[in-house]
Amino acid sequence: MKNRLFLLLGLMAFGVVLPVGAQTDGEMPPALPQETQVETPMEAQSVHPWQPLLDEMTTLDDTEQTGWEEMFDVLCQLEEHPLNINSASREQLEQIPFLNAQQVEDIQAYIYQYGAMKSLGELAMIESVDYYTRRLLSYFVVAAEPEHKETLRWSDLQKYGRHEVLLTARVPFYERRGDKEGYLGDRYAHTLRYRFQYHDRVSAGLIADQEAGEPFFNKHNRLGYDFYSFYINVKRLGPVKQLTVGRYRIASGMGLVLNNDFGYGKLSALNSLGNHGDQIRPHASRFDRDYLQGAAVTVEACKGLDITAFVSYRGIDATLTDDGRGVATILRTGYHRTLTEMNKKNNVNELLTGGMVNYRLGGWNIGATATYDAFDRPLLPDRSVAYRKNAPEGKSFFNIGAHYGYTGHRIMFSGETATGDNGGIATVNAITYQPSWALSLMALQRYYAPRYHSLHANSYSDGSNVQNENGVMAGVKWQPARQWQLLAYTDYVYFPEPTYQVSRHSSHAWDNLFQAAYHGSRFSASARYRIRYRQRDFSEYNAATKQDEVKGLTNQTVHRWRLTAGYGTTTWKSTTQADMTLSQFHGNRFGWMVNETVSATPCRWLHLDASAGYFRTDDYESRIYTYDTGMLYQYTFSSFDGEGIRYSVMARADISTRLLFIARLQTVNYFDRSTIGSGLQTINRSSRTDLQLQLRWKF
């Protein structure tokens, strides 16, 4: 123990900060078998060794969904507190985002028929659970002795409850313009997390987050951190299946009426469509947006019938109209760094209440959702902008919807139809057919009327809202051999009325993707190609008016390629990734990036990572996206444009079974500019270096 501390302090003293990895083997009492980690043979254990696998199941659109960070946060919590698959309920398995309804049904049917699994290897006996899903599941579930239902006792909470404190800080080695003038706080960002966990029955938490530039214990914010989140969550308390008090998220049906939780990307839809039951989840994230605040409860009225009620009252950031009487724009950035941003904090209060009913009988399920949303100031968007002419307006809104579905051995069907107080209609319906264990076919149709709106809707869409969109998607997932997987989809979308960057006309888009992936015991590789057509305004300069005038529509075509190859053992791994982008809109714009990552676990308690990449793009339109190896509970997805290099080193030290330390140093160096950013974010140099530190203590 002392040798580890001395080595770690020595590395820090000499400025050597390297990357992270090995999983902690937490010291757990026999009463908590679900805390045991499962190792996957190929992986050198990084901070989140499942992240590359998850990345293959997502596209850029998936990561741009507002709920993607929350999905990542849920997976991080499941990694720390994996489910016991032998005693997990349907609702618990539905929390795993990449499982679909048929897989959940088949897992429970297998355990009911054959008894508890002795190992996760038995998942191979379930036809619908493919090789990639089994690999991902190994990080989030364990096969342990079934747990007996017990009465909650205060003494058990004290004896077997686990506490966790996580401190995270970011130290920038540069100054932004706002750090000298404009920002109300210093340049350091830091987060405090506390979590209490007793099995999966009781959890409680407190999250405090401070972004760089936000005031901290000064005259502009005497409460310390800018954002606090708190919750208490209790499950299986008599007829009460779940009770959450504090801040939470909720999802119902296919998300047409209410879903402020996970997003619905196209590749993730191929992998998990149908796993969208009614769910309540504590808001255990540092993100200051979209959560509800109050209480939510689900009661099992009788076998198969669940009734949920919820109420939320919270302040929301907003830009007010010139006279201050209404809300021009609801803000979701969560930033409060300047006086202007502080003056927009909690400018409007929202009351949201409603309920959900869901009934299951065999493979069938049917349910309904109703919500009432009220504000203390009316929403008054600028409807003179073409794509906002159907934006919600007023002080109160009502929505109701019905969702339905069937899960059989080969066929899975799910859908939802909803309306609101303005009479607009929205419907989404999907069907999946699995003719064999190796092949899945999926088709999805959606119709979202231009008049339809629900402020807390989040469902499958090509645009940013559940509104003004008609489309059909078809996809296929094929596993020709155990370690191979092929994915493809095509999605055609029609927008009846103007959208962003289309000011006068209806328009359409067409999105296509093909992906092949191979995962062996030591070698892995994947290839992805995506081509997307989307209509945009075509403008020409008018010398008489000295302004650009819209002449019509033209196609913007974007091609994206990605090639990835990795080789590794249980102690080290190397991954090479190449990305290319070609954007065709009034000319061709090309971009590419090559990135290399090496991970090593020289001893059980120390893991190291190093990453370096070179990028070159013609402009922002041809930018490259890639994910970074991040800290615990952090999903970092960066974009690069221009020319430069980026590199990082990271180290993770499991000092003891209870204490973990992570440090990460990252630099981006641009060759084509002397400043980075704009406005108050401007950095007067061509490089940017950040140091991240993280300390976790379990007790």
Side-chain angles (χ1 to χ4, degrees), residues 222-270:
R222 302 188 184 279
L223 297 178
Y225 284 92
D226 178 74
F227 172 71
Y228 291 94
S229 183
F230 54 90
Y231 64 87
I232 298 174
N233 187 49
V234 182
K235 296 180 179 179
R236 301 194 303 277
L237 191 64
V240 177
K241 298 184 72 171
Q242 180 166 333
L243 171 64
T244 303
V245 178
R247 293 183 172 174
Y248 61 94
R249 293 177 176 270
I250 196 166
S252 174
M254 300 284 284
L256 296 186
V257 174
L258 178 62
N259 177 21
N260 66 340
D261 206 4
F262 300 150
Y264 295 76
K266 296 178 181 179
L267 265 186
S268 57
L270 263 178

Side-chain angles (χ1 to χ4, degrees), residues 12 23 63 122 196 226 368 478 542 564 566 578 588 673 692:
M12 294 178 64
Q23 295 287 348
T63 56
E122 292 188 50
F196 171 83
D226 178 74
W478 182 36
N542 187 321
T564 305
N588 294 331
R673 66 196 69 177
Q692 289 179 283

Side-chain angles (χ1 to χ4, degrees), residues 650-671:
M650 186 166 70
R652 165 173 172 162
D654 293 277
I655 301 171
S656 72
T657 56
R658 298 179 182 273
L659 195 61
L660 166 70
F661 179 77
I662 303 176
R664 180 175 187 263
L665 188 70
Q666 176 176 274
T667 296
V668 180
N669 189 10
Y670 291 92
F671 302 151

Side-chain angles (χ1 to χ4, degrees), residues 293-566:
Q293 180 175 272
V297 61
T298 298
V299 176
E300 187 176 22
C302 61
K303 185 177 180 180
L305 179 61
D306 292 342
I307 300 175
T308 299
F310 61 91
V311 62
S312 169
Y313 184 81
R314 56 162 297 203
I316 297 176
D317 294 0
T319 300
L320 301 183
T321 55
D322 293 339
D323 59 10
R325 296 182 179 180
V327 175
T329 308
I330 293 177
L331 303 176
R332 291 182 168 86
T333 63
Y335 291 130
H336 307 113
R337 301 162 299 185
T338 65
L339 284 175
T340 300
E341 291 175 346
M342 288 291 288
N343 289 334
K344 297 177 181 180
K345 185 175 183 179
N346 296 336
N347 265 344
V348 60
N349 294 309
E350 178 192 32
L351 170 67
L352 177 68
T353 186
M356 302 178 292
V357 177
N358 192 68
Y359 180 68
R360 293 180 183 270
L361 180 62
W364 295 91
N365 73 86
I366 187 169
T369 306
T371 61
Y372 174 76
D373 207 355
F375 297 85
D376 60 356
R377 299 177 191 261
L379 303 187
L380 300 174
D382 182 5
R383 290 193 167 187
S384 63
V385 179
Y387 66 88
R388 292 179 182 168
K389 71 175 185 177
N390 289 302
E393 185 177 67
K395 294 187 69 173
S396 62
F397 308 91
F398 174 78
N399 289 91
I400 188 169
H403 54 269
Y404 33 85
Y406 170 76
T407 303
H409 181 57
R410 298 290 184 190
I411 294 179
M412 180 175 65
F413 169 76
S414 56
E416 183 174 16
T417 300
T419 187
D421 46 20
N422 69 345
I425 299 291
T427 184
V428 56
N429 300 277
I431 186 169
T432 300
Y433 174 56
Q434 188 172 15
S436 70
W437 66 270
L439 182 64
S440 295
L441 307 173
M442 189 267 280
L444 180 144
Q445 166 273 334
R446 73 271 194 194
Y447 166 76
Y448 308 146
R451 292 179 55 206
Y452 179 80
H453 56 71
S454 177
L455 293 171
H456 295 278
N458 182 15
S459 191
Y460 183 93
S461 68
D462 188 86
S464 58
N465 297 312
V466 179
Q467 186 180 47
N468 187 34
E469 177 176 322
N470 306 328
V472 177
M473 174 189 176
V476 58
K477 182 168 66 171
W478 182 36
Q479 191 174 333
R482 176 176 175 270
Q483 295 169 324
W484 282 92
Q485 186 179 77
L486 304 179
L487 290 171
Y489 71 72
T490 182
D491 185 33
Y492 178 81
V493 192
Y494 172 70
F495 306 99
E497 296 191 2
T499 62
Y500 179 65
Q501 295 181 332
V502 177
S503 58
R504 297 180 182 175
H505 310 277
S506 61
S507 61
H508 67 265
W510 190 22
D511 188 13
N512 303 271
L513 179 140
F514 173 79
Q515 175 176 288
Y518 170 83
H519 277 276
S521 59
R522 293 194 174 185
F523 177 74
S524 66
S526 66
R528 176 188 296 176
Y529 170 64
R530 183 183 186 187
I531 180 171
R532 178 172 179 170
Y533 307 90
R534 188 181 182 93
Q535 290 185 309
R536 288 179 53 179
D537 284 339
F538 172 69
S539 302
E540 288 184 353
Y541 181 74
N542 187 321
T545 61
K546 297 182 179 181
Q547 292 181 343
D548 288 334
E549 292 185 359
V550 176
K551 297 297 183 180
L553 295 178
T554 188
N555 281 336
Q556 179 184 29
T557 304
V558 179
H559 306 260
R560 293 187 182 275
W561 297 266
R562 170 171 292 180
L563 298 173
T564 305

